[in-house]
Amino acid sequence: MQDARDLRSYGRRRGRARSRRQQALWSQVLPRFVLAPEEMPSQAATDVWLEIGFGGGEHLLWQASHHPAARLIGCEPFEDGVVKVLDAIDAQNLSNIRLWTDDARPLLRALPNASLSRVFILFPDPWPKARHQKRRLVSAQTIDALARVMRPGAELRVATDIGSYATAILQAVLGGSHFDWVCESPSDWRLRTQDWPGTRYEAKALAAGRRCYYFRFRRCG
Ligand SMILES: C[S@@+](CC[C@H](N)C(=O)[O-])C[C@H]1O[C@@H](n2cnc3c(N)ncnc32)[C@H](O)[C@@H]1O
């Protein structure tokens, strides 16, 4: 359930009018891939990964096709992004993705303790203006919610292209006691690891000359 403290952290839910094909994906294909209540991961589940705000789905689809043994939950309230991913799931016959087409925070509240082994939050909406920063998704409250649902040793990956958000992310994560920062040298936060493909938003940020920050944190055990 949505909590009154969940300020809206995303922009639009819908973009352009859907084509007939997109409408068919939404009404006929989506029901097969929606995360059903009986599919909620359990503590015993092996590898369940969550991507929050997958946008166009480039990273989600890459991870699902490169890790067929993992179950991926993709979470995105922007319907055009969901339709794009449904098209690819259908074309590539991917069976290990389930979708949550809404705000991630009610999902985090519904997940059992220690049920996820990886979480990705890649370029969450930056909300750069000072008066909007309270809308940023990554906050101490979200980190606490993630700490509960991530198992010991689980990895949290977060990326941003905004310096003030990078600082806020480090403060939110390291201000608590649940995660260690996996960082031995500056390249650990300046470069993505090989199993971390780029996204559409990242490509735009780099093309505009902005530096990207890539953080990996490990849930303490
Ligand atoms: C700047 S876009 C980046 C998309 C993609 N990760 C990429 O790197 O190309 C941020 C995405 O996060 C989604 N988002 C924002 N708040 C969210 C929330 N509370 N739960 C789930 N997704 C959210 C937005 O709808 C948007 O698609």
Side-chain angles (χ1 to χ4, degrees), residues 121-201:
I121 310 179
L122 308 181
F123 302 96
D125 292 79
W127 298 111
K129 291 183 184 160
R131 70 176 192 280
H132 288 150
Q133 287 182 4
K134 57 184 183 293
R135 297 195 173 275
R136 286 177 170 171
L137 177 63
V138 182
S139 62
Q141 195 186 333
T142 303
I143 295 301
D144 280 349
L146 287 168
R148 185 185 67 75
V149 297
M150 292 176 69
R151 58 177 57 175
E155 188 171 304
L156 168 64
R157 295 184 180 182
V158 188
T160 184
D161 60 328
I162 303 292
S164 69
Y165 206 174
T167 306
I169 289 164
L170 288 176
Q171 283 169 346
V173 178
L174 304 179
S177 55
H178 299 303
F179 291 92
D180 292 326
W181 183 10
V182 182
C183 180
E184 279 155 20
S185 73
S187 66
D188 287 338
W189 56 266
R190 286 192 185 132
L191 301 173
R192 287 188 263 109
T193 51
Q194 277 193 342
D195 64 343
W196 182 338
T199 67
R200 209 167 110 90
Y201 181 94

Side-chain angles (χ1 to χ4, degrees), residues 66-84:
H66 284 76
H67 298 98
R71 287 174 56 204
L72 280 100
I73 302 173
C75 178
E76 177 54 69
F78 185 51
E79 295 179 3
D80 297 25
V82 173
V83 168
K84 214 167 160 193

